[in-house]
């Protein structure tokens, strides 16, 4: 996103009014690394946590990521280890 905005001469931090530009987290890393899911792939996380997903539709993917992040912030997840 930063590179795309720079290409179109936007300032990522200023134009999006991001105060703490070092604070962002990847839902894939949160669930794979911190919560020990075997896969951090969006489709598998949503399947495991019963989050609706119409995969590869931008808005649906964004909503699913937001839902995952909310679950992380509220500690509302279960650890499922699939083989």
């Amino acid at each position: 996103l930063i590179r795309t905005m720079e290409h179109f001469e936007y300032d990522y931090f200023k134009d999006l009014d991001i105060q703490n530009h070092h604070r962002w987290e990847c839902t894939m890393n949160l669930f794979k690394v911190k919560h020990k899911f075997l896969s951090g792939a969006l489709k598998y996380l949503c399947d495991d946590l019963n989050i609706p997903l119409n995969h590869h539709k931008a808005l649906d993917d964004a909503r699913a990521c937001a839902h995952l992040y909310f679950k992380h912030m509220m500690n509302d997840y279960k650890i499922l280890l699939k083989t």
Side-chain angles (χ1 to χ4, degrees):
L1 180 59
I2 293 172
R3 288 189 193 125
T4 300
M5 290 184 71
E6 286 172 351
H7 174 79
F8 291 101
E9 299 179 359
Y10 289 101
D11 184 300
Y12 177 80
F13 304 109
K14 181 181 171 199
D15 292 329
L16 294 180
D17 194 29
I18 296 174
Q19 303 299 317
N20 185 354
H21 58 82
H22 296 290
R23 175 140 170 53
W24 65 273
E25 296 184 89
C26 172
T27 52
M28 176 186 276
N29 287 339
L30 283 174
F31 282 86
K32 187 171 182 181
V33 176
K34 290 185 180 180
H35 303 306
K36 308 298 184 206
F37 278 74
L38 290 179
S39 174
L42 185 59
K43 179 185 180 333
Y44 298 111
L45 290 173
C46 288
D47 286 348
D48 286 348
L49 296 172
N50 297 315
I51 296 171
L53 176 66
N54 186 4
H55 201 30
H56 296 299
K57 299 287 184 184
L59 184 57
D60 288 340
D61 287 358
R63 284 181 177 147
C65 286
H67 198 144
L68 285 166
Y69 190 74
F70 182 75
K71 283 184 170 290
H72 161 73
M73 294 300 293
M74 301 304 294
N75 291 316
D76 179 24
Y77 54 86
K78 58 183 175 182
I79 298 179
L80 298 173
L81 301 176
K82 287 192 168 184
T83 57

